[in-house]
Amino acid sequence: MTTTVIRLFDNASTARQALDALADEGFPRDELNLITHQERVGTPEAMSGWAPRVVAVPGVGPILAIGPVAAALSGIAGEVAGESLMRVLIDRSAPSNEAQACVEGMRRGGTLVLVDTDEARVEAAGEVLRHCAPGDKEALAAVWR
């Protein structure tokens, strides 16, 4: 069974480093996802090697997405503000309150990294993400609420 580990970063460069660190730890690239505002990275070339896709997400704006989540976001249109991103996160088993915090984080310029992995590697993925962005993600979300 696949589980998704989600981490909200306050900047795209740290999230990109986390993506690279996950790949270095042996997580397959097709399990790794990144979602950030297009303007946070300037151009898709800034994420070269990761096959980024620019997608318009209602309520969030133009985003740069990497991984399977890019295809999921591309396939959803005509949603109410932020609903499509919310649906993608909930479909990946994020609790509703966490998905809402992630959507608000994206609206405020945050970057999401998602790792789709099996149960045996969930803790390892979480450890890499915590190492790349130490701190309390709940505190960051609380500031946005």
Side-chain angles (χ1 to χ4, degrees), residues 35-91:
I35 309 169
T36 192
H37 273 273
Q38 164 79 40
E39 61 270 11
R40 300 289 282 177
V41 291
T43 63
E45 291 79 30
M47 295 287 191
S48 64
W50 285 97
R53 180 184 299 182
V54 177
V55 180
V57 175
V60 178
I63 63 156
L64 184 135
I66 294 170
V69 76
L73 288 168
S74 298
I76 299 172
E79 297 287 341
V80 178
E83 291 281 316
S84 61
L85 178 56
M86 177 86 77
R87 184 181 316 157
V88 167
L89 295 173
I90 290 172
D91 287 350

Side-chain angles (χ1 to χ4, degrees), residues 8 86 94-108 136-145:
L8 180 61
M86 177 86 77
S96 179
N97 62 337
E98 184 175 337
Q100 288 173 344
C102 288
V103 170
E104 185 60 25
M106 288 290 303
R107 285 186 183 123
R108 294 177 182 247
D136 184 5
K137 70 177 181 177
E138 294 302 321
L140 184 58
V143 168
W144 290 329
R145 287 188 192 109

